[in-house]
Amino acid sequence: MPCYFFSGDKFIRVARGQVGAGAIDPGYPHPISDWGWGDFGRHGIDAAMSSGPVDYFFSGSRFIRVTRGETGPGVVDSGYPKPISDWGWGDFGAHGIDAALYSDTKCYFFAGEHYIRVSRGDVDPGQIDSGYPAPLSDWGWGDFGAHGIDAALNSGAFSYFFAGDRYIRVSRGDVGRGRIDEGYPAPISDWGWGPFGASGISAALFSGIDFDQPAPEPSSGLGSNSNYILVSACKPLIDLTVTIDLTQHVALLGNGPPSDGFPSVSGYGWQLNCYSPHHETDAWQQYVISVVDGDLIGQVNNWKNLHHDLVNQGQVLTGLSTVPAHWKLRIALRNDDHGNVTGVTFTARGGEGQTVAESDMALTDIGVPAQDLSPIIAFELNLVGPGNAESAELFSGAGTITYTAKSELTAIASEPPCAEVGFITAETANTVYGLLPPNPATWFQQSFKVAPPGFPVIRREGRRRPPLIMRRPDPGPS
């Protein structure tokens, strides 16, 4: 999963992780004309931006939208090139964009000594946020980039900015300038690319994180109720956020039978299954966003032990029979000063970046005594049946899962020995998950999709926790 860098009329493909230069793939640099875009960008690309299922390239006063995979030129979408003025930004950038930075539902565009922040989905222009354009000096980078940014690269938990023959690495979230890491600015020549780009990079395109060997997989495989478990050396995980980006709408064919005595419900859901440390009352913590009987629901279901739940509280987020393509669903946990999970925010955003629904739950407000709050030291994300031990048979659905935390995460194949209980989830589905790298990071992105027809449902065997009991929650906000 390489990154691409453009300088003059040439480009390179680089195998790299989320930090550092990586290594240029054999045979590069290549001429930009190899991408087969006719006269567009032949003599140079001014800016590039990965944006979910599509990528954008800017050259002069025009841009193209390209549907592509992790490597290669892909296919220019019908109707492109188009004038940048189609983005509706007035005078800003109409004659050219210097750099573009994808930053989840906020994207940043740079032109001259100014920039804009735009709220948007993955495949639309979106809307300029209030107060923009703003001067580059707002980013507080001193003389770096004071007169313009040449290129920007989203690289997981870090962003890179290039200006002249120098670059900076910035630790930042989705919004704002972040913090320049120690030792920067540094010369581009440090990347070891020889003469390519030493005097300047005109555009940079992130295409994922590259790794030679993946983390060891669970013995039962990657899919259904069997995914990597992410840990941080048995230390409490802080500010864990899981974001699900849909590149293909999720559609349900049907559900299997529930456990004896439980009601049947229709749907599917993403379960964030969390492990607490030894000797904690809140031993198993579960935070779920699911489609159930025509509603999108956020649910908290935590357990004391095998037989007694501590809390089982759901909230209708919005009416929804299936999650459309280009939507984003998010589960964000928050912690107190001791690392205890104190609450969760469920968010659903539409294809144009708009917030469709959001619900915040404080655990002490929904029945968890303050003395029973607990940290989590590991977690697993599963796309499975909606609850009550049901299976889900899906006939479409694909996207990515992004994991972020303040703690460094490492993907492992089985439950850590420091967990209070070693449950597996009771629900299943015909889903499969992508590989993750073996090295620790504060940011990972994993693919998911519905398994091809005839592919056997993956099942992890083990001590099954009690079924996630789906009850009709109180109606959410209208």
Side-chain angles (χ1 to χ4, degrees):
M1 293 184 286
C3 294
Y4 292 83
F5 296 86
F6 299 80
S7 183
D9 61 357
K10 291 182 169 56
F11 74 99
I12 56 173
R13 192 177 73 189
V14 179
R16 59 182 295 275
Q18 63 174 308
V19 295
I24 299 179
D25 286 351
Y28 292 86
H30 282 186
I32 293 172
S33 58
D34 282 3
W35 291 64
W37 294 338
D39 65 342
F40 179 87
R42 178 183 295 271
H43 301 295
I45 296 296
D46 299 330
M49 183 176 74
S50 177
S51 184
V54 296
D55 293 332
Y56 290 87
F57 298 87
F58 300 82
S59 182
S61 61
R62 300 186 300 165
F63 75 100
I64 56 174
R65 191 179 75 193
V66 181
T67 300
R68 55 184 296 278
E70 294 161 356
T71 61
V75 177
V76 178
D77 289 351
S78 178
Y80 295 85
K82 291 183 178 180
I84 294 172
S85 57
D86 281 4
W87 289 66
W89 296 337
D91 292 336
F92 180 86
H95 302 294
I97 295 295
D98 297 332
L101 180 72
Y102 180 80
S103 194
D104 198 8
T105 58
K106 302 290 186 183
C107 293
Y108 293 83
F109 298 88
F110 302 81
E113 298 180 5
H114 292 83
Y115 74 102
I116 56 174
R117 190 180 74 191
V118 179
S119 297
R120 59 183 294 276
D122 291 333
V123 292
D124 67 284
Q127 298 291 324
I128 298 180
D129 288 352
S130 178
Y132 295 88
L136 280 175
S137 57
D138 283 0
W139 289 69
W141 294 338
D143 65 342
F144 178 85
H147 301 295
I149 297 295
D150 298 330
L153 178 75
N154 180 314
S155 188
F158 305 94
S159 295
Y160 289 84
F161 297 88
F162 300 81
D165 60 358
R166 299 187 300 165
Y167 76 101
I168 57 174
R169 190 181 75 192
V170 179
S171 297
R172 57 183 297 275
D174 295 339
V175 179
R177 66 189 185 187
R179 181 191 71 252
I180 297 181
D181 289 349
E182 186 177 354
Y184 296 89
I188 295 173
S189 57
D190 284 0
W191 290 60
W193 294 338
F196 180 88
S199 300
I201 297 294
S202 62
L205 181 72
F206 181 71
S207 268
I209 292 177
D210 192 65
F211 48 94
D212 294 328
Q213 294 292 328
E217 298 179 41
S219 58
S220 46
L222 287 168
S224 184
N225 67 341
S226 176
N227 201 352
Y228 288 112
I229 294 172
L230 282 86
V231 300
S232 185
C234 286
K235 298 175 183 177
L237 301 177
I238 305 300
D239 291 348
L240 173 64
T241 298
V242 175
T243 304
I244 298 111
D245 286 272
L246 278 297
T247 57
Q248 182 186 66
H249 82 283
V250 181
L252 177 70
L253 189 62
N255 290 107
S259 291
D260 291 344
F262 291 103
S264 177
V265 293
S266 174
Y268 52 86
W270 288 266
Q271 297 184 6
L272 179 57
N273 297 311
C274 303
Y275 299 84
S276 301
H278 285 309
H279 311 303
E280 295 288 349
T281 301
D282 194 350
W284 170 272
Q285 303 185 42
Q286 190 172 56
Y287 305 92
V288 183
I289 191 165
S290 56
V291 173
V292 177
D293 293 338
D295 285 320
L296 185 67
I297 291 172
Q299 182 159 356
V300 178
N301 191 201
N302 292 10
W303 292 82
K304 292 182 181 180
N305 52 45
L306 184 61
H307 303 291
H308 301 287
D309 60 348
L310 187 64
V311 61
N312 184 9
Q313 180 72 45
Q315 174 69 59
V316 173
L317 301 175
T318 187
L320 197 70
S321 59
T322 187
V323 184
H326 312 311
W327 274 45
K328 292 177 185 286
L329 306 178
R330 177 168 291 169
I331 305 171
L333 305 184
R334 60 181 178 275
N335 307 83
D336 62 18
D337 292 340
H338 302 288
N340 299 315
V341 176
T342 60
V344 58
T345 301
F346 298 103
T347 306
R349 292 195 173 106
E352 297 182 355
Q354 75 279 20
T355 299
V356 176
E358 190 164 76
S359 178
D360 182 85
M361 294 186 184
L363 297 190
T364 53
D365 290 345
I366 58 175
V368 180
Q371 66 269 22
D372 290 342
L373 295 174
S374 168
I376 61 170
I377 45 86
F379 70 91
E380 178 182 5
L381 195 284
N382 303 121
L383 172 53
V384 289
N388 303 345
E390 286 187 283
S391 63
E393 184 178 358
L394 306 169
F395 65 87
S396 74
T400 60
I401 307 161
T402 302
Y403 309 100
T404 64
K406 285 186 177 178
S407 321
E408 279 202 329
L409 306 172
T410 301
I412 62 175
S414 58
E415 295 84 359
C418 51
E420 171 65 14
V421 292
F423 289 155
I424 64 170
T425 193
E427 290 75 42
T428 58
N430 58 327
T431 51
V432 292
Y433 312 121
L435 298 170
L436 288 178
N439 300 323
T442 58
W443 178 96
F444 285 117
Q445 189 171 83
Q446 183 182 36
S447 64
F448 73 89
K449 64 181 179 180
V450 173
F455 191 89
V457 172
I458 294 172
R459 297 179 189 276
R460 172 178 276 169
E461 300 297 335
R463 186 187 184 196
R464 291 175 54 169
R465 59 143 181 80
L468 169 62
I469 303 171
M470 296 301 299
R471 306 185 181 104
R472 291 304 299 170
D474 296 331
S478 57

